[in-house]
Coordinates of all heavy atoms in Angstrom, one line a residue:
V252 N 21.4 21.3 15.5 CA 21.4 21.4 14.0 C 22.1 20.1 13.4 O 21.7 19.5 12.4 CB 22.2 22.6 13.5 CG1 22.4 22.6 12.0 CG2 21.4 23.9 13.9
Y253 N 23.2 19.7 14.1 CA 23.9 18.5 13.7 C 23.0 17.3 13.7 O 23.0 16.5 12.8 CB 25.1 18.3 14.7 CG 25.8 17.0 14.6 CD1 26.5 16.6 13.4 CD2 25.9 16.1 15.7 CE1 27.2 15.4 13.4 CE2 26.5 14.9 15.6 CZ 27.2 14.5 14.5 OH 27.8 13.3 14.4
V254 N 22.2 17.1 14.8 CA 21.3 15.9 14.9 C 20.2 16.0 13.8 O 19.8 15.0 13.2 CB 20.8 15.7 16.3 CG1 20.0 14.5 16.4 CG2 22.0 15.6 17.3
V255 N 19.7 17.2 13.6 CA 18.7 17.4 12.5 C 19.3 16.9 11.2 O 18.7 16.2 10.4 CB 18.2 18.8 12.4 CG1 17.4 19.1 11.2 CG2 17.3 19.1 13.6
N256 N 20.6 17.3 10.9 CA 21.3 16.9 9.7 C 21.3 15.4 9.6 O 21.0 14.8 8.6 CB 22.7 17.5 9.7 CG 23.6 17.0 8.6 OD1 23.7 15.8 8.4 ND2 24.2 18.0 7.9
L257 N 21.6 14.7 10.7 CA 21.7 13.2 10.7 C 20.3 12.6 10.5 O 20.2 11.6 9.7 CB 22.2 12.7 12.1 CG 23.7 13.1 12.5 CD1 24.0 12.5 13.8 CD2 24.6 12.6 11.4
M258 N 19.3 13.3 11.0 CA 17.9 12.8 10.8 C 17.5 12.9 9.4 O 16.9 12.0 8.8 CB 17.0 13.6 11.8 CG 15.6 13.2 11.8 SD 15.4 11.5 12.6 CE 13.8 11.2 12.1
L259 N 17.9 14.0 8.8 CA 17.6 14.3 7.3 C 18.3 13.2 6.5 O 17.7 12.7 5.5 CB 18.0 15.7 6.9 CG 17.1 16.8 7.5 CD1 17.9 18.1 7.4 CD2 15.8 16.9 6.7
K260 N 19.5 12.9 6.8 CA 20.2 11.9 6.0 C 19.6 10.5 6.2 O 19.5 9.7 5.3 CB 21.7 11.8 6.5 CG 22.5 12.9 5.9 CD 24.0 12.7 6.3 CE 24.9 13.9 6.1 NZ 26.0 13.9 7.0
W261 N 19.1 10.3 7.4 CA 18.5 9.0 7.7 C 17.2 8.8 6.9 O 17.0 7.8 6.3 CB 18.1 8.9 9.2 CG 17.4 7.7 9.7 CD1 18.0 6.5 10.0 CD2 16.0 7.5 9.8 NE1 17.0 5.6 10.4 CE2 15.7 6.2 10.3 CE3 14.8 8.4 9.6 CZ2 14.5 5.7 10.6 CZ3 13.6 7.9 9.9 CH2 13.4 6.5 10.4
I262 N 16.4 9.9 6.7 CA 15.2 9.9 5.9 C 15.6 9.7 4.4 O 15.1 8.8 3.7 CB 14.5 11.3 6.0 CG1 13.8 11.4 7.4 CG2 13.4 11.4 4.9 CD1 13.2 12.7 7.7
K263 N 16.7 10.4 4.0 CA 17.1 10.2 2.6 C 17.6 8.7 2.4 O 17.2 8.1 1.3 CB 18.3 11.2 2.3 CG 18.7 11.1 0.9 CD 19.7 12.2 0.5 CE 20.2 11.9 -0.9 NZ 21.1 13.0 -1.4
N264 N 18.4 8.2 3.3 CA 18.9 6.8 3.1 C 17.8 5.8 3.1 O 18.0 4.7 2.6 CB 19.9 6.5 4.2 CG 21.2 7.3 4.0 OD1 21.5 7.7 2.9 ND2 21.9 7.5 5.1
R265 N 16.7 6.1 3.8 CA 15.6 5.1 3.7 C 14.8 5.2 2.4 O 13.8 4.4 2.3 CB 14.6 5.4 4.9 CG 15.3 5.3 6.2 CD 14.3 5.1 7.3 NE 14.1 3.6 7.5 CZ 13.2 3.1 8.3 NH1 12.3 3.8 8.9 NH2 13.1 1.8 8.4
G266 N 15.1 6.2 1.6 CA 14.4 6.3 0.3 C 13.6 7.5 0.2 O 12.9 7.7 -0.8
G267 N 13.7 8.4 1.2 CA 13.0 9.7 1.0 C 11.6 9.7 1.7 O 11.2 8.8 2.4
L268 N 10.9 10.9 1.5 CA 9.7 11.1 2.2 C 8.5 10.2 1.7 O 7.6 9.9 2.5 CB 9.3 12.5 2.1 CG 10.1 13.5 3.0 CD1 9.8 14.9 2.7 CD2 10.0 13.2 4.4
G269 N 8.6 9.6 0.5 CA 7.6 8.7 0.1 C 7.6 7.4 0.9 O 6.5 7.0 1.4
V270 N 8.8 6.9 1.2 CA 8.9 5.7 2.0 C 8.5 6.1 3.5 O 7.8 5.3 4.1 CB 10.4 5.2 2.0 CG1 10.6 4.0 2.9 CG2 10.7 4.8 0.6
I271 N 9.0 7.2 4.0 CA 8.6 7.6 5.3 C 7.1 7.7 5.5 O 6.5 7.3 6.5 CB 9.3 9.0 5.7 CG1 10.8 8.8 5.7 CG2 8.8 9.6 7.0 CD1 11.4 8.0 6.8
E272 N 6.5 8.3 4.5 CA 5.0 8.5 4.6 C 4.3 7.1 4.6 O 3.4 6.9 5.4 CB 4.5 9.3 3.4 CG 3.0 9.3 3.3 CD 2.4 10.2 2.2 OE1 3.1 10.8 1.4 OE2 1.1 10.2 2.1
S273 N 4.7 6.2 3.8 CA 4.0 4.9 3.8 C 4.2 4.2 5.1 O 3.3 3.6 5.6 CB 4.3 4.1 2.5 OG 5.6 3.7 2.5
T274 N 5.4 4.3 5.6 CA 5.6 3.6 6.9 C 4.8 4.3 8.0 O 4.1 3.6 8.8 CB 7.1 3.7 7.3 OG1 7.9 3.3 6.3 CG2 7.4 2.9 8.6
N275 N 4.8 5.7 8.0 CA 3.9 6.4 9.0 C 2.5 6.0 8.9 O 1.8 5.9 9.9 CB 4.1 7.9 8.8 CG 5.4 8.4 9.5 OD1 6.0 7.8 10.4 ND2 6.0 9.5 8.9
R276 N 2.0 5.9 7.6 CA 0.6 5.5 7.4 C 0.3 4.1 7.9 O -0.8 3.9 8.5 CB 0.2 5.6 5.9 CG 0.0 7.1 5.5 CD -0.6 7.1 4.1 NE -0.6 8.5 3.6 CZ -1.6 9.4 3.9 NH1 -2.6 9.1 4.7 NH2 -1.5 10.6 3.4
R277 N 1.2 3.2 7.7 CA 1.0 1.8 8.2 C 1.0 1.8 9.7 O 0.2 1.0 10.3 CB 2.1 0.9 7.6 CG 1.7 0.4 6.2 CD 2.6 -0.7 5.7 NE 4.0 -0.2 5.4 CZ 5.1 -0.7 5.9 NH1 5.1 -1.8 6.6 NH2 6.3 -0.2 5.6
K278 N 1.9 2.5 10.3 CA 2.0 2.5 11.8 C 0.6 3.0 12.4 O 0.0 2.4 13.3 CB 3.1 3.4 12.3 CG 4.5 2.8 12.0 CD 5.6 3.7 12.6 CE 5.6 5.1 12.1 NZ 6.8 5.9 12.6
A279 N 0.2 4.2 11.9 CA -1.1 4.8 12.4 C -2.3 3.8 12.1 O -3.1 3.6 13.0 CB -1.3 6.2 11.8
A280 N -2.3 3.3 10.9 CA -3.5 2.4 10.6 C -3.5 1.2 11.5 O -4.6 0.8 11.9 CB -3.3 2.0 9.1
M281 N -2.4 0.6 11.8 CA -2.3 -0.6 12.7 C -3.0 -0.2 14.0 O -3.8 -1.0 14.6 CB -0.9 -1.0 12.8 CG -0.8 -2.4 13.5 SD 0.9 -2.8 13.9 CE 1.6 -3.1 12.2
L282 N -2.7 0.9 14.5 CA -3.2 1.3 15.8 C -4.7 1.7 15.8 O -5.5 1.2 16.6 CB -2.3 2.4 16.4 CG -2.7 2.9 17.8 CD1 -2.9 1.8 18.8 CD2 -1.5 3.8 18.4
Y283 N -5.0 2.5 14.8 CA -6.5 2.8 14.7 C -7.3 1.6 14.4 O -8.4 1.5 14.9 CB -6.7 3.9 13.5 CG -6.3 5.3 14.0 CD1 -5.3 6.0 13.2 CD2 -6.8 5.9 15.1 CE1 -4.9 7.3 13.6 CE2 -6.5 7.2 15.4 CZ -5.5 7.9 14.7 OH -5.2 9.2 15.0
D284 N -6.8 0.7 13.6 CA -7.6 -0.5 13.3 C -7.9 -1.3 14.6 O -8.9 -1.8 14.8 CB -6.8 -1.4 12.3 CG -6.9 -0.9 10.9 OD1 -7.7 0.1 10.7 OD2 -6.2 -1.4 10.0
T285 N -6.9 -1.3 15.4 CA -7.0 -2.1 16.7 C -8.0 -1.4 17.6 O -8.9 -2.0 18.2 CB -5.6 -2.2 17.4 OG1 -4.7 -2.8 16.5 CG2 -5.7 -3.0 18.7
I286 N -8.0 0.0 17.7 CA -8.9 0.7 18.5 C -10.3 0.5 17.9 O -11.3 0.2 18.7 CB -8.6 2.2 18.4 CG1 -7.3 2.5 19.2 CG2 -9.7 3.1 18.9 CD1 -6.7 3.9 18.9
D287 N -10.5 0.5 16.6 CA -11.8 0.3 16.0 C -12.4 -1.1 16.2 O -13.6 -1.3 16.5 CB -11.8 0.7 14.5 CG -11.6 2.2 14.4 OD1 -11.8 3.0 15.3 OD2 -11.3 2.6 13.2
E288 N -11.5 -2.1 16.1 CA -11.8 -3.5 16.2 C -12.3 -3.8 17.6 O -13.2 -4.5 17.9 CB -10.6 -4.3 15.9 CG -10.8 -5.7 15.6 CD -9.4 -6.4 15.5 OE1 -8.5 -5.9 14.8 OE2 -9.2 -7.4 16.3
L289 N -11.6 -3.1 18.6 CA -12.0 -3.3 20.0 C -12.8 -2.1 20.5 O -12.6 -1.7 21.7 CB -10.7 -3.5 20.8 CG -9.8 -4.7 20.4 CD1 -8.5 -4.7 21.1 CD2 -10.5 -6.0 20.6
S290 N -13.7 -1.6 19.7 CA -14.4 -0.4 20.0 C -15.3 -0.5 21.2 O -15.8 0.5 21.8 CB -15.1 0.2 18.8 OG -16.1 -0.8 18.5
G291 N -15.6 -1.7 21.7 CA -16.4 -1.8 22.9 C -15.5 -1.5 24.1 O -16.1 -1.2 25.2
F292 N -14.2 -1.4 24.0 CA -13.3 -1.2 25.1 C -12.5 0.1 24.9 O -12.5 1.0 25.7 CB -12.3 -2.4 25.2 CG -11.6 -2.3 26.5 CD1 -12.2 -2.7 27.7 CD2 -10.2 -1.9 26.5 CE1 -11.4 -2.6 28.9 CE2 -9.5 -1.9 27.7 CZ -10.1 -2.2 28.9
Y293 N -11.9 0.3 23.7 CA -11.2 1.5 23.4 C -12.1 2.4 22.5 O -12.9 2.0 21.8 CB -9.9 1.2 22.6 CG -8.9 0.3 23.4 CD1 -8.8 -1.1 23.0 CD2 -8.2 0.8 24.4 CE1 -7.9 -1.9 23.7 CE2 -7.3 0.0 25.1 CZ -7.2 -1.4 24.8 OH -6.3 -2.2 25.5
R294 N -11.9 3.7 22.7 CA -12.7 4.7 22.0 C -11.7 5.8 21.4 O -11.1 6.5 22.2 CB -13.7 5.3 22.9 CG -14.7 6.3 22.2 CD -15.8 6.6 23.2 NE -15.4 7.0 24.5 CZ -15.0 8.3 24.8 NH1 -15.0 9.2 23.9 NH2 -14.6 8.6 26.0
G295 N -11.7 5.9 20.1 CA -10.9 7.0 19.5 C -11.7 8.3 19.8 O -12.9 8.3 20.0
T296 N -10.9 9.4 20.0 CA -11.5 10.7 20.5 C -11.8 11.6 19.3 O -12.4 12.7 19.6 CB -10.6 11.4 21.5 OG1 -9.4 11.7 20.9 CG2 -10.4 10.5 22.7

Side-chain angles (χ1 to χ4, degrees):
V252 172
Y253 168 64
V254 182
V255 167
N256 174 309
L257 296 179
M258 188 67 195
L259 288 160
K260 284 186 191 153
W261 180 83
I262 291 173
K263 186 174 170 174
N264 289 339
R265 299 201 92 190
L268 287 172
V270 175
I271 295 292
E272 172 176 358
S273 65
T274 308
N275 282 334
R276 285 192 186 278
R277 277 190 289 133
K278 290 186 301 188
M281 189 185 294
L282 183 44
Y283 283 124
D284 286 351
T285 305
I286 291 168
D287 291 342
E288 194 189 310
L289 303 173
S290 61
F292 192 75
Y293 299 106
R294 181 170 53 82
T296 61

